[in-house]
Amino acid sequence: METRRYRMVVTSGLDYVKTGAQVDDQLRRWLREPPKSYDIDAFADGRNEIADGVTLDHDSATGAGGAYGRWRLRETASEGTWQTTVLIRQVGDGPTWVQLDVEHLPHDSEARPVPAKTPRLAKSLLGVLEARDGQADVTPDPRVVEAEDVDDVIDELCDGSRRLPVVVASTPYGVNFDTWLERTVDPLFRPLAGQAVLYVMAPEAVARFNRTLEYHRVFGGGVRTYLPGVDPAWAPDGQRHRVMSRRLIAEDPRRARRILAQLPQSLASRVPLPADLDSVPVLRTRTRNGVGASELDRLRDENHALFEILEEAGREQRVRADEIRDLKHALRDAEDNETQLFGDYDEQYQELHDARAQVLLLQKRLLVLGEGEAAYAPDDGAPADPESFAEILDRIDGMRRVHFTGVRKVTLELDDQAYGSSWVRMTWDALLALRDFAEAAAAGKVSSDFKKWCADAPGAVHTISPRKIVRDESKTVKTKTDWRKERTFPVPSYVDPSRRLFMGAHVRIGGGNTIAPRLHYSEASCADHGIFIGYIGPHLTNTRT
């Protein structure tokens, strides 16, 4: 789901009164200084214009249900209204919450909101509020982790009350740490202020961190995003926490910054608000203070305010409708993924059960034949499976009847976005199956397509689950020009005179997130020339992406 709102939710280390004073001060500084330069001296409680098309509203309440104070800035231009809301809230003896939202409300009902960038106000607030998320300090810039700090950072990663992701940058061997921090890490982390806990590990801290977190390591200048709920003792949990390699950061810093920011931004908008914040009433436009005005002027002001309330409600309704629609799409995809994963699990468990039974049977037969040592000896002669997509691309070059014609850079970027090694293993299994299928086709032993060939499971060859193989794209995808073009890949002229071929057939490499890698291939000339793979990379555009 595309993230359009900026949202920061933290607790303040100051009490409620001091937090309110600091928020008020920082907000006034932000509005007074360039590039805004608004006349905030005119501001008083209620609705106030502080510039042409710019209004600042404030409301507050204190009672049995707790206390809150809220400021809302609206900056109206031709393409829509930018709305910035700052809310502080305390219930009983609980923490003082601070929430900052920035969003675009377009005037045109057909227009999409413009994504909000991280505001300077966020960093200003974080600089004075002693902000926290669970056990962790939320700072505007990354904090340096020394070796003696590693245990504290690990405690924060495992903290069950944590809401924000923790983004940890490692330091590559042999670089100047201060230069690395200033030129690489600081710009990379800049959009994450207020939406993640930010750390950069000094060189001596990296080794200690990785010894303790065996399944959640980060090294070599890589950056890892740790979601809430880290389980350091469970290897599969490591797959939830994305890794970005130094190579992507060095080759395309702007793209790396955008990719790194996507997950924290999405979580900030989609994670439910704490109950204390969610219980604050909606703020609506108020009429001006009418002291000394005539009854007619007061009625005009009230009428004007009512019209603004209606327009305001209409704009917000359209934006919320967009959000609800996006969430419904995300829910549908999650439900589809859940069903698919359940099916894959059942199928893979059955395959594992059958394989274990077969191995046990063969071992028993070898024991009867007096080959007990051979029955349990490891296969030391088989080459190790590849551990990265970079290694996979190198291995494809050695496959006589499997040809990769895609963009290597797109495939290599999967190494930066993978949750773990499962994508690499699945891709390699698919390639081995395609290789054996192509060899069988060349030998005249194939009378079906790749999917059915895998379903029939001939002996002594590699196959993959037919459920992971899609024979062709939908009619919608094939008839939409842009989407069809995305799936048209280079091939040699002896395969197609145009040197381009639409490859609707694909293998599902992974699911469960926005990347969901796919491998697109063509078997049209398999018997004569082999399999052509035009793409290994993130899921291409369709009706759900």
Side-chain angles (χ1 to χ4, degrees):
M1 183 181 77
E2 182 186 0
T3 302
R4 291 183 280 272
R5 176 201 288 138
Y6 172 88
R7 169 167 287 174
M8 177 182 80
V9 176
V10 296
T11 58
S12 173
L14 311 177
D15 63 34
Y16 179 79
V17 174
K18 290 180 179 178
T19 298
Q22 287 288 2
V23 169
D24 185 78
D25 180 62
Q26 293 302 319
L27 183 62
R28 288 173 180 273
R29 290 172 184 266
W30 180 60
L31 295 174
R32 183 184 294 116
E33 295 172 357
K36 295 188 180 297
S37 302
Y38 295 147
D39 178 18
I40 63 165
D41 293 332
F43 173 67
D45 285 346
R47 178 182 176 279
N48 290 279
E49 280 194 313
I50 58 176
D52 186 24
V54 180
T55 60
L56 182 62
D57 292 277
H58 175 262
D59 70 330
S60 61
T62 302
Y68 77 85
R70 175 169 43 194
W71 297 257
R72 185 183 67 187
L73 175 72
R74 292 192 144 187
E75 300 167 287
T76 301
S78 58
E79 75 283 356
T81 299
W82 281 100
Q83 177 172 289
T84 301
T85 307
V86 187
L87 170 67
I88 64 169
R89 170 73 158 153
Q90 185 179 37
V91 176
D93 295 329
T96 299
W97 291 96
V98 179
Q99 177 183 346
L100 169 62
D101 282 355
V102 181
E103 61 184 329
H104 179 249
L105 307 174
H107 296 321
D108 186 350
S109 60
E110 301 299 321
R112 302 283 281 178
V114 177
K117 297 180 179 179
T118 302
R120 290 185 299 110
L121 180 60
K123 299 191 75 168
S124 299
L125 291 174
L126 292 175
V128 298
L129 292 180
E130 301 176 14
R132 296 183 66 81
D133 175 51
Q135 299 179 19
D137 294 328
V138 183
T139 54
D141 300 302
R143 295 175 58 203
V144 176
V145 179
E146 305 289 355
E148 60 269 22
D149 303 322
V150 167
D151 290 342
D152 291 338
V153 171
I154 293 175
D155 287 343
E156 293 172 9
L157 291 177
C158 302
D159 176 18
S161 64
R162 176 163 65 91
R163 300 177 73 255
L164 298 180
V166 177
V167 183
V168 180
S170 62
T171 303
Y173 177 77
V175 304
N176 179 276
F177 177 73
D178 292 333
T179 302
W180 169 254
L181 175 60
E182 179 182 350
R183 296 184 181 178
T184 301
V185 178
D186 281 344
L188 184 67
F189 281 12
R190 193 169 294 131
L192 299 176
Q195 297 190 321
V197 178
L198 308 174
Y199 289 121
V200 55
M201 288 192 291
E204 61 273 12
V206 175
R208 181 172 180 179
F209 182 89
N210 289 331
R211 281 197 304 270
T212 307
L213 289 183
E214 178 183 0
Y215 306 122
H216 302 73
R217 296 179 299 165
V218 58
F219 50 85
V223 176
R224 192 157 196 170
T225 301
Y226 295 91
L227 298 176
V230 171
D231 186 345
W234 191 34
D237 180 66
Q239 298 185 20
R240 293 195 305 121
H241 312 286
R242 295 185 183 179
V243 180
M244 175 176 288
S245 75
R246 183 188 179 189
R247 188 191 70 250
L248 176 61
I249 298 168
E251 289 182 353
D252 195 341
R254 293 182 64 182
R255 176 174 169 79
R257 187 162 55 246
R258 186 171 65 252
I259 292 173
L260 186 66
Q262 285 174 349
L263 183 57
Q265 288 170 350
S266 176
L267 288 174
S269 293
R270 297 175 63 177
V271 171
L273 287 170
D276 291 352
L277 291 173
D278 209 23
S279 61
V280 176
V282 173
L283 172 63
R284 292 300 184 195
T285 300
R286 298 182 179 184
T287 59
R288 303 174 190 269
N289 292 328
V291 178
S294 68
E295 183 65 21
L296 179 60
D297 288 337
R298 284 196 294 270
L299 287 173
R300 283 173 175 166
D301 286 343
E302 289 178 4
N303 188 54
H304 177 74
L306 289 173
F307 273 115
E308 288 209 1
I309 289 171
L310 289 174
E311 291 180 0
E312 168 187 319
R315 288 193 296 268
E316 291 198 2
Q317 183 181 31
R318 289 194 296 271
V319 172
R320 302 303 164 241
D322 282 346
E323 291 180 345
I324 291 171
R325 184 192 62 245
D326 290 345
L327 288 169
K328 286 181 177 178
H329 282 298
L331 176 62
R332 181 187 63 182
D333 290 346
E335 290 172 342
D336 288 348
N337 281 330
E338 182 182 33
T339 302
Q340 178 180 303
L341 288 171
F342 274 129
D344 288 346
Y345 171 80
D346 287 341
E347 187 174 49
Q348 289 171 8
Y349 182 82
Q350 185 62 47
E351 289 177 357
L352 177 61
H353 175 80
D354 293 345
R356 284 177 171 172
Q358 181 71 11
V359 168
L360 182 60
L361 176 62
L362 293 173
Q363 287 174 335
K364 288 180 177 178
R365 289 178 178 175
L366 286 170
L367 287 171
V368 171
L369 294 172
E371 296 291 341
E373 185 176 345
Y376 297 97
D379 183 8
D380 295 328
D385 288 343
E387 298 181 355
S388 67
F389 283 94
E391 192 175 347
I392 278 180
L393 293 181
D394 291 339
R395 298 268 195 109
I396 291 179
D397 293 339
M399 293 183 177
R400 188 166 59 93
R401 301 192 63 80
V402 177
H403 315 287
F404 180 71
T405 65
V407 179
R408 296 176 65 90
K409 182 178 179 181
V410 173
T411 304
L412 291 173
E413 286 177 357
L414 290 177
D415 283 327
D416 306 315
Q417 303 168 61
Y419 285 136
S421 59
S422 60
W423 291 356
V424 174
R425 289 196 299 268
M426 182 60 224
T427 304
W428 183 240
D429 287 343
L431 288 168
L432 292 178
L434 286 165
R435 180 200 64 186
D436 287 1
F437 172 71
E439 295 287 354
K445 299 178 181 179
V446 170
S447 58
S448 61
D449 63 9
F450 178 55
K451 184 181 180 82
K452 190 169 190 312
W453 186 79
C454 286
D456 292 340
V461 294
H462 292 87
T463 60
I464 60 173
S465 168
R467 289 169 51 89
K468 291 190 170 293
I469 304 168
V470 180
R471 287 190 171 101
D472 201 1
E473 294 284 11
S474 67
K475 182 178 179 180
T476 302
V477 170
K478 290 195 292 184
T479 55
K480 191 172 179 63
T481 303
D482 291 344
W483 296 354
R484 184 179 182 89
K485 185 178 180 180
E486 277 190 352
R487 292 158 174 81
T488 302
F489 307 107
V491 292
S493 59
Y494 56 77
V495 174
D496 191 285
S498 69
R499 295 180 177 269
R500 306 281 295 177
L501 192 64
F502 175 75
M503 299 185 188
H506 59 273
V507 178
R508 293 187 292 106
I509 299 303
N513 59 58
T514 57
I515 301 171
R518 297 295 187 260
L519 181 156
H520 284 258
Y521 68 92
S522 171
E523 60 184 81
S525 59
C526 185
D528 296 327
H529 305 297
I531 294 285
F532 287 86
I533 298 173
Y535 181 84
I536 303 175
H539 198 304
L540 296 170
T541 311
N542 65 7
T543 55
R544 298 187 180 183
T545 57

